[in-house]
Amino acid sequence: MRWANRVQTLRWNSILSDYLTANFIYTHTNYDYTLNTTMGLSSYIWDSGIDDHTVKADFSYYCSAKSSFRFGGQVTHHNYRPGTISSLDEEVITTMADKKSLEYALFASSELKVTENLHVKAGLRFSAIQNMGEAKVFLFDENYKVTDTLQYGKGDIYNTYAGFEPRISAAYLLSEKLSVKSSYARTLQYVQPASNSASGMPHDIWFPVSPNLKPQVSDQVSAGVFRNMFNNMIETSAELYYKEMDNQIDFRDNANMYFNELLEGEIRTGIAKAYGVEFLLRKNSGAFTGWIGYTYSKARRRIQSINNDNWYDANYDKPHNLTIVVNYELTERLKLGATWIYTTGAPVTLPTSRWEYAGMIMPGYSERNGYRLPDYHRLDLSATIILNKNKKVSGFTNELNISAYNAYNRKNPFTIFFTPEEKGSSNMKAYALSMFGIVPSLTWNFRF
């Protein structure tokens, strides 16, 4: 398996007047992922990806010291490549048709200092997406059986979704050191990811909304309290959030995810919710700086005909998340750093039984996401040596960074495989695949 992302960006910033600035951006992203698999006596390569071109214009207008206004728009052309199957010698066997769409957005937001103690930010975004041909669209009944097939020519617009996305946040200063904040936001998502939780691998299937799939909608509220202490040397905060989501998607049990032009018939929809509390303690000054952050969160789903229509943990549900960052300035030219990360293991669906059918061994799985991978943790270490900090003498500054990712070589499981204990045995054994052990690196930074 392999995945990669390539990004190219062109940006032009302009100060149009004392009050108005403009920012124009063109971005091209190409995300692709490949899976090599052996089926029987033959081996195949499945290649898929997304190709996006985005143009965005963003304007900022500074009305006064107490208010500012931002507005703009963007257009994105999506090209989804569901998959090409080829042999190991790269001979193409079959190709699923690409899916194309145009996504638009217009947005405006304002930041207002209502009083010395009350600051408000409000925004409104209008977004839309249009499915575009050339395309073959399958229509399904309530039992996910194909009832009709529609063919659209190149450039034909055959489906449109649109909606408003409001958001507002407010911060109130109770004193110079204490403040409270709250916010609300609605978001629409037109690009749909769905993953096979039985594999634990990162090969999500990405596709646009369609006549069969509505946009995902989320509404989130949050509230928090923030306090500075010891002359702003220490920052502390605690925040609560709650999110409800509609039109969530997941694959049915035993779905045929790959090489399937009827993929939308394998998808089931439902609702989801996420909630949590976040704590932060940060030290900003002195030889020792750093922060400790802890989050407890839950993400649950209830999808039609999955897990007997009961709630289950989402693939990204990791209740405990702890990060500790420490930086120490040993001398003016030597800085040391350490970061320790701990998270609960990701949910995964594992085989719990097996049977023989038509000469093939078929697995039986646990309830959806009924197990978890082992907890994830690692330590990263770094040392930064400032070689030259006086730009006036040499015309540039430079520094050397030596670091070690996963310094104690923790074998964090990436996915789990099951194989017979020995050839011909009916007893299965689980194997955990780890992607990275310790990874040293050397970086030279220079500024001129």
Side-chain angles (χ1 to χ4, degrees):
M1 50 190 172
R2 179 188 66 84
W3 63 100
N5 195 37
R6 288 172 291 277
V7 181
Q8 302 88 40
T9 299
L10 292 174
R11 179 192 299 266
W12 178 48
N13 299 327
S14 178
I15 300 176
L16 302 178
S17 73
D18 292 340
Y19 305 99
L20 182 64
T21 63
N23 185 13
F24 301 95
I25 303 173
Y26 164 76
T27 301
H28 172 229
T29 65
N30 181 262
Y31 173 64
D32 67 86
Y33 43 108
T34 300
L35 182 66
N36 293 4
T37 183
T38 299
M39 304 171 64
L41 299 178
S42 302
S43 295
Y44 300 92
I45 301 174
W46 172 68
D47 183 71
S48 184
I50 309 173
D51 193 70
D52 286 350
H53 294 267
T54 300
V55 177
K56 180 179 180 180
D58 191 355
F59 300 88
S60 296
Y61 183 75
Y62 300 92
C63 309
S64 67
K66 293 185 177 182
S67 64
S68 62
F69 185 65
R70 181 183 172 195
F71 60 96
Q74 69 180 59
V75 178
T76 300
H77 179 271
H78 300 285
N79 184 38
Y80 309 85
R81 294 179 284 107
T84 297
I85 308 172
S86 56
S87 60
L88 290 182
D89 59 6
E90 299 186 355
E91 180 182 353
V92 175
I93 298 173
T94 184
T95 299
M96 295 177 63
D98 290 359
K99 296 179 181 294
K100 296 180 173 62
S101 64
L102 286 173
E103 186 174 351
Y104 314 89
L106 294 173
F107 54 86
S109 65
S110 180
E111 185 172 350
L112 179 63
K113 190 175 181 180
V114 181
T115 68
E116 288 299 322
N117 295 337
L118 178 60
H119 296 183
V120 176
K121 295 180 181 179
L124 182 63
R125 188 173 187 266
F126 175 78
S127 60
I129 192 170
Q130 295 181 311
N131 296 105
M132 185 169 59
E134 184 176 354
K136 181 166 65 173
V137 178
F138 299 95
L139 302 182
F140 300 89
D141 61 17
E142 64 277 4
N143 297 314
Y144 297 94
K145 303 297 183 182
V146 177
T147 59
D148 199 0
T149 303
L150 305 177
Q151 190 74 43
Y152 296 95
K154 185 176 181 180
D156 289 348
I157 301 297
Y158 61 88
N159 182 65
T160 300
Y161 289 111
F164 288 96
E165 302 173 73
R167 59 203 65 190
I168 186 171
S169 65
Y172 188 79
L173 303 177
L174 298 173
S175 69
E176 292 184 355
K177 298 180 179 180
L178 181 63
S179 65
V180 291
K181 299 179 182 180
S182 63
S183 68
Y184 162 78
R186 161 168 281 209
T187 55
L188 302 177
Q189 181 169 312
Y190 300 111
V191 181
Q192 312 280 25
S195 60
N196 182 0
S197 60
S199 71
M201 291 186 288
H203 287 85
D204 291 347
I205 306 297
W206 294 84
F207 41 84
V209 294
S210 72
N212 299 302
L213 296 172
K214 297 180 180 179
Q216 297 185 49
V217 183
S218 78
D219 291 282
Q220 177 172 307
V221 293
S222 65
V225 57
F226 302 78
R227 179 175 174 80
N228 293 351
M229 298 182 293
F230 306 111
N231 294 322
N232 296 324
M233 180 182 292
I234 303 294
E235 294 180 8
T236 61
S237 66
E239 285 190 272
L240 293 165
Y241 72 91
Y242 180 81
K243 177 190 288 188
E244 288 189 347
M245 293 159 278
D246 200 5
N247 301 327
Q248 294 292 285
I249 63 173
D250 208 343
F251 286 112
R252 68 173 180 85
D253 294 336
N254 303 309
N256 179 14
M257 291 176 54
Y258 307 107
F259 326 137
N260 183 6
E261 65 176 356
L262 301 178
L263 185 64
E264 292 180 354
E266 305 287 321
I267 291 172
R268 304 296 180 262
T269 61
I271 60 176
K273 60 183 177 181
Y275 53 88
V277 57
E278 302 176 348
F279 300 96
L280 178 67
L281 175 67
R282 184 193 301 271
K283 185 177 183 293
N284 294 316
S285 59
F288 272 106
T289 59
W291 52 274
I292 299 174
Y294 171 74
T295 300
Y296 175 80
S297 63
K298 287 296 295 179
R300 306 271 286 165
R301 285 180 168 182
R302 188 167 68 184
I303 306 290
Q304 171 195 3
S305 74
I306 295 178
N307 207 41
N308 296 318
D309 292 342
N310 295 319
W311 288 94
Y312 63 94
D313 291 336
N315 297 340
Y316 41 83
D317 177 74
K318 299 179 181 180
H320 300 286
N321 189 319
L322 174 66
T323 301
I324 301 174
V325 176
V326 177
N327 300 306
Y328 180 57
E329 189 173 345
L330 188 62
T331 69
E332 288 188 355
R333 293 185 177 274
L334 179 59
K335 299 178 181 179
L336 306 177
T339 300
W340 188 71
I341 297 173
Y342 168 88
T343 63
T344 305
V348 64
T349 306
L350 297 179
T352 56
S353 62
R354 49 184 287 182
W355 68 91
E356 185 174 337
Y357 175 77
M360 301 177 60
I361 300 298
M362 307 296 293
Y365 288 95
S366 68
E367 66 179 24
R368 184 64 60 95
N369 288 340
Y371 291 86
R372 287 186 180 272
L373 295 175
D375 292 348
Y376 178 99
H377 57 85
R378 75 171 198 268
L379 174 67
D380 301 337
L381 299 174
S382 68
T384 301
I385 305 169
I386 300 175
L387 302 176
N388 174 27
K389 60 187 303 182
N390 192 338
K391 186 177 179 180
K392 292 182 180 181
V393 175
S394 60
F396 71 98
T397 63
N398 67 113
E399 62 186 29
L400 195 66
N401 179 270
I402 305 170
S403 64
Y405 172 93
N406 194 12
Y408 53 72
N409 202 34
R410 161 74 174 176
K411 300 296 184 181
N412 288 298
F414 175 71
T415 188
I416 294 180
F417 295 96
F418 288 83
T419 60
E421 287 188 345
E422 55 186 36
K423 189 174 182 180
S425 173
S426 61
N427 296 325
M428 304 297 289
K429 186 175 182 179
Y431 291 89
L433 172 66
S434 299
M435 294 296 291
F436 298 106
I438 183 172
V439 181
S441 66
L442 180 66
T443 305
W444 177 48
N445 294 317
F446 60 94
R447 301 172 181 87
F448 55 89

